[in-house]
Amino acid sequence: MTYQLTTGDTIQRLTDNAFIPPDPANTDYQAYLAWLDDGNTPEPAPTPEPTPVLTTEQKLEAAGLTVAELKELFNLT
Amino acid sequence: MSTLKTTNLQHASAASPAIVLAADGTATAQLSSVNDGAIAGTRNRIINGGMDVWQRGTSTTATGNTYLADRWQSAILSTGGTISQETSSLPTGSRYAWKYVASASNTVGMQMGQQIEYVNCLDLQNTTVSISFMARSVNTNAASTALTVRTRTIAGVDGACMFGGTNSDTAVTLTTTWTRYTVTRTLPATFGSLSLEFAIGSHVSGDGIMLSQVQLEPGSVATPFERRSFGQELALCQRYYQKSYNIDVAPGALTRIGGNGMVAHATSSYMGFGFVTFQSSMRVNPTVTPYNPDTGLTTNPLRNYSASTNGTMAVANIGVFGFSSNANNLSISTNQSAAYHWTASAEL
């Protein structure tokens, strides 16, 4: 059994990819705590992906606009 | 046969009759208890005793501690065996039964059972209970017919009682015919956890048992199996296990029906978020496992319907009423939609 920390509050059990909440009454969390007591260490949380730098075109696409629509909006024909 | 004709039955010290007989042949009775338990309703402390609910699937060869029929945990203590939903050989009044058949020699044994949540059995401390069930063996071998009916208790509330607590055993001899068996015992004066278990010892390939209509109730007299509606039984099971799939669809099936969606924020972070509300409150904050609707796998469980790709995701903020999920820009981008299935387990 191996575990991995997440960027949130849960622990991921890598044998079945289940997410375990830090609830002392959860039997899977109890098993995780026992695993820690045995001297084991979970894998670190995955590194968050860097925020991508968007191009102007991508920003327009995110807003659901096209260059033509933008030009029309500002009367830039 | 003689007939006692009277109007009332009343204790000498009582202020009113316990039973009032009417002229039309009916009676009104002041009952304080039936068999030292509830007068009616929820006498059976076992959930899914009729083996009606199978949210996890209908067959497994898994060893170790495994759930298949809801609330029933089994342990094939050696390799080789199948636990399945029996649909042909059934006791009268049952749609399904729980079945175990060994596919290899097993020198250690097989056990199955159900741990009862403390809030549902604390009143049974230091009381006599009746355990009744329908059972049969799958063949006439001695190993198949020698069934042990076992209760276990430990002091800790909702602790690891199943297959590990202090046991009290009763031997029952099965036949290949469905038969109702009854075991009565007095439970310890105090306990925090209680489980009911069934076990067979060392056996060979082809040996096995079937069970259904399992009941554990207060009192020294076993009453007829308490039938609850399917909706009631399912709701009781969902306190311990829920899923996004339809009830008769096993987790990991390739289906998009019921999958929970995730949408991306229209921002530069490209992050996707989703939220799930459970059908009902769960026992504790449950363990959540996401599944990919198109691959059925728990690896890369987020299916991006827009890009036809599979990606990672995370589950967070899990509570008894729901949880949230998120995915990064490698799994979902702006204006894309994605989905995943999930199971949530809060078993004891």
Side-chain angles (χ1 to χ4, degrees):
Chain A
M1 193 78 75
T2 55
Y3 298 89
Q4 183 177 26
L5 302 177
T6 69
T7 54
D9 62 344
T10 54
I11 298 101
Q12 189 168 22
R13 186 172 56 205
L14 298 180
T15 50
D16 61 355
N17 299 308
F19 290 88
I20 302 169
D23 182 345
N26 179 300
T27 53
D28 293 319
Y29 187 66
Q30 293 167 2
Y32 169 70
L33 294 179
W35 182 82
L36 290 180
D37 287 343
D38 289 340
N40 297 298
T41 304
E43 295 182 18
T47 305
E49 291 298 319
T51 301
V53 178
L54 302 181
T55 64
T56 302
E57 288 75 14
Q58 287 174 319
K59 291 177 181 176
L60 281 174
E61 183 186 359
L65 291 171
T66 64
V67 173
E69 289 171 332
L70 198 62
K71 286 181 177 178
E72 183 181 351
L73 180 66
F74 291 103
N75 296 318
L76 299 175
T77 55
Chain B
M1 182 163 55
S2 61
T3 300
L4 175 63
K5 295 187 176 182
T6 187
T7 304
N8 299 330
L9 291 178
Q10 180 174 343
H11 189 276
S13 302
S16 60
I19 299 176
V20 177
L21 304 176
D24 63 1
T26 63
T28 301
Q30 306 296 322
L31 300 178
S32 59
S33 171
V34 172
N35 295 336
D36 297 327
I39 293 173
T42 322
R43 290 185 59 80
N44 190 4
R45 306 304 173 91
I46 296 297
I47 295 173
N48 199 26
M51 310 297 176
D52 292 312
V53 186
W54 297 71
Q55 292 192 83
R56 295 172 177 85
T58 56
S59 181
T60 182
T61 55
T63 56
N65 293 352
T66 303
Y67 282 95
L68 190 64
D70 274 59
R71 297 264 44 236
W72 291 104
Q73 189 177 29
S74 58
I76 303 175
L77 302 178
S78 182
T79 57
T82 299
I83 293 167
S84 64
Q85 178 191 72
E86 173 65 19
T87 58
S88 57
S89 173
L90 298 167
T92 301
S94 282
R95 184 167 64 145
Y96 303 127
W98 184 95
K99 182 180 184 181
Y100 165 74
V101 178
S103 58
S105 292
N106 182 325
T107 58
V108 184
M110 184 283 304
Q111 52 190 343
M112 65 87 74
Q114 182 174 134
Q115 184 168 337
I116 304 170
E117 191 175 351
Y118 179 65
V119 295
N120 293 333
C121 64
L122 65 92
D123 62 311
L124 301 181
Q125 294 176 116
N126 202 30
T127 68
T128 298
V129 297
S130 293
I131 301 159
S132 55
F133 56 96
M134 296 292 294
R136 57 158 290 188
S137 57
V138 300
N139 60 26
T140 56
N141 291 349
S144 291
T145 60
L147 180 71
T148 297
V149 182
R150 175 176 293 151
T151 53
R152 287 190 194 267
T153 55
I154 62 172
V157 172
D158 289 336
C161 180
M162 185 80 84
F163 309 144
T166 302
N167 59 306
S168 175
D169 293 356
T170 300
V172 171
T173 302
L174 305 182
T175 70
T176 54
T177 301
W178 280 105
T179 306
R180 185 154 197 83
Y181 299 88
T182 299
V183 171
T184 301
R185 72 169 43 114
T186 299
L187 296 176
T190 60
F191 58 79
S193 302
L194 167 67
S195 65
L196 170 64
E197 302 173 16
F198 301 91
I200 60 173
S202 175
H203 53 279
V204 299
S205 178
D207 289 349
I209 59 170
M210 297 186 214
L211 291 163
S212 193
Q213 299 183 21
V214 183
Q215 181 153 292
L216 186 152
E217 61 186 309
S220 58
V221 178
T223 60
F225 179 66
E226 179 181 78
R227 298 187 181 282
R228 296 185 280 251
S229 72
F230 181 81
Q232 289 174 311
E233 208 70 61
L234 175 63
L236 293 175
C237 294
Q238 286 177 325
R239 177 170 170 79
Y240 306 89
Y241 184 86
Q242 297 186 23
K243 61 181 181 178
S244 58
Y245 301 90
N246 280 355
I247 297 304
D248 58 350
V249 177
L254 304 185
T255 178
R256 294 185 175 186
I257 294 175
N260 279 87
M262 185 183 289
V263 295
H265 275 206
T267 67
S268 59
S269 67
Y270 279 95
M271 291 287 283
F273 290 94
F275 304 93
V276 168
T277 300
F278 296 137
Q279 295 95 331
S280 59
S281 169
M282 301 199 71
R283 182 185 71 87
V284 296
N285 300 341
T287 298
V288 175
T289 306
Y291 289 80
N292 188 304
D294 287 5
T295 69
L297 303 175
T298 60
T299 53
N300 294 321
L302 186 66
R303 179 64 178 177
N304 188 320
Y305 290 161
S306 303
S308 296
T309 56
N310 304 311
T312 60
M313 57 172 283
V315 172
N317 306 315
I318 303 171
V320 297
F321 286 109
F323 62 88
S324 64
S325 60
N326 61 78
N328 63 30
N329 58 307
L330 297 181
S331 298
I332 187 170
S333 297
T334 299
N335 294 334
Q336 292 182 335
S337 63
Y340 60 95
H341 276 292
W342 54 266
T343 63
S345 174
E347 288 288 359
L348 290 159

